[in-house]
Amino acid sequence: MAQPSSSALTPNETESSGAFNSQTLMPLINRARPLAHALLSQAPLVAVGRGSSGRTFLGVNVELRGLPLNQSIRPEQFLVVNLALNNERKLNCLAISADGSYFFPPCGHSCEFLQEIRDASNIQILITDPIHKNVITNKSLSTFLPQKFPPYYVVPGNFPRLLDDNRNNGLTLINPNLTREICVNSDRCNHLKCRALNAANRSYAPYSGCPSGVALMDSQGKVYSGWRMESMAFNPSLGPVQAALVDFMTNGGGKDFKKIVQAVLVERVALLSQEATAKMILEEIAHHNCVLSVLHCH
């Protein structure tokens, strides 16, 4: 899914922007800051990442009014969803900053979330020295997560990881009548149930075994989608609504969530369900007449 230039750079644009350092990242951070939705903290944060394809991607923090802080989207999570929407398979470099004057390490939750990417320990993170603030160095993710939850204890080595291109959960809707209505090219059609099922099939849920996907429609009939992305630590896991909001924000909807008028959640229910959380979020941020439909799959 192509993203506008505000959230992703082409390989040529990335090459023109220069090396991945504090000087060249400043314009990108300034460009991304307006997309941040820091209603509660009043502290916009930007994550800049460079993928293995040579493209550069942006992420911001999104805080949702009227909802618990654990429903917020961290800039690193936003960035990973942006990578996934663009079919980017690896993250090579990462920088997190408020204004480009100081570069932060990712928090513990975000480190655990990033760990779900294949070869994540090799991700190079731009860091400002806390004592010598004029010194900026690169450190690997493993530096900040020396005693991580080891996903290899649960996830086999050949299991498709968070951004791997062979992710397909093989889900179908339980209702046979609805199954017959699913389009062959469900990742390109504009039907909510098709797009939500396609998202659920891309969902990364190895720990709960409960993949889920959400499709949102705005008042102009445009559809956005996202899927659940889990972490071994569970707390940093990202819900399907939040992932769909990243698509909404980077693909035309901006920050006006009141434009969202319809939503479909497709989920496989075993240990947990996303229905109550999805309903809570949409009741707070979407149009007051927004309708949420829930479809189950197996």
Side-chain angles (χ1 to χ4, degrees):
M1 182 181 302
Q3 305 285 36
S5 59
S6 61
S7 64
L9 281 70
T10 65
N12 288 339
E13 289 174 321
T14 296
E15 185 176 356
S16 299
S17 68
F20 198 87
N21 58 47
S22 56
Q23 288 76 31
T24 60
L25 292 179
M26 179 77 79
L28 298 180
I29 292 168
N30 290 335
R31 174 162 128 180
R33 274 173 58 88
L35 188 61
H37 203 53
L39 296 175
L40 304 175
S41 66
Q42 297 299 308
L45 289 174
V46 176
V48 184
R50 186 160 293 180
S52 55
S53 70
R55 299 188 69 186
T56 299
F57 300 88
L58 307 175
V60 294
N61 55 329
V62 181
E63 298 160 2
L64 303 173
R65 190 186 302 277
L67 292 166
L69 281 173
N70 64 357
Q71 300 302 325
S72 301
I73 306 170
R74 297 179 180 87
E76 300 93 328
Q77 292 175 318
F78 192 114
L79 174 67
V80 171
V81 175
N82 201 1
L83 292 167
L85 290 171
N86 283 278
N87 298 311
E88 186 72 27
R89 300 309 170 203
K90 285 190 179 180
L91 177 62
N92 291 342
C93 307
L94 172 66
I96 307 160
S97 182
D99 57 11
S101 64
Y102 191 96
F103 291 88
F104 306 95
C107 69
H109 279 178
S110 294
C111 285
E112 289 289 356
F113 187 73
L114 293 169
Q115 184 61 32
E116 300 299 331
I117 300 172
R118 191 174 297 279
D119 301 323
S121 59
N122 298 325
I123 298 172
Q124 295 298 303
I125 302 172
L126 208 63
I127 297 293
T128 300
D129 189 291
I131 300 175
H132 307 288
K133 293 184 171 54
N134 60 331
V135 177
I136 299 176
T137 59
N138 280 297
K139 295 187 178 182
S140 66
L141 178 64
S142 59
T143 304
F144 306 102
L145 208 59
Q147 294 180 314
K148 60 183 178 295
F149 283 102
Y152 53 81
Y153 283 164
V154 177
V155 179
N158 61 351
F159 187 87
R161 302 304 299 278
L162 184 54
L163 296 177
D164 287 359
D165 60 359
N166 55 342
R167 291 213 53 75
N168 187 337
N169 293 313
L171 302 171
T172 57
L173 297 177
I174 291 176
N175 186 324
N177 294 324
L178 293 177
T179 298
R180 285 191 287 269
E181 297 174 1
I182 297 298
C183 298
V184 175
N185 295 319
S186 58
D187 58 336
R188 292 184 174 88
C189 78
N190 235 25
H191 303 132
L192 286 175
K193 60 179 177 294
C194 298
R195 291 284 292 276
L197 176 61
N198 184 68
N201 273 317
R202 297 186 67 179
S203 179
Y204 179 73
Y207 306 113
S208 71
C210 300
S212 58
V214 161
L216 307 174
M217 180 178 285
D218 66 16
S219 54
Q220 295 181 324
K222 195 167 185 179
V223 177
Y224 313 87
S225 60
W227 49 93
R228 178 168 171 79
M229 300 180 179
E230 290 186 350
S231 163
M232 177 65 178
F234 278 102
N235 283 343
S237 299
L238 191 69
V241 174
Q242 287 93 330
L245 290 178
V246 173
D247 192 11
F248 177 85
M249 294 179 70
T250 60
N251 205 25
K255 294 184 281 189
D256 187 3
F257 302 137
K258 294 298 181 185
K259 292 179 180 178
I260 299 170
V261 296
Q262 196 172 349
V264 170
L265 164 67
V266 169
E267 64 176 352
R268 176 182 179 271
V269 178
L271 297 175
L272 58 86
S273 169
Q274 297 296 317
E275 181 175 355
T277 301
K279 184 178 180 181
M280 175 184 69
I281 294 173
L282 293 172
E283 283 180 348
E284 286 290 341
I285 69 170
H287 191 275
H288 66 276
N289 285 330
C290 179
V291 176
L292 170 67
S293 301
V294 181
L295 307 177
H296 295 122
C297 57
H298 55 184

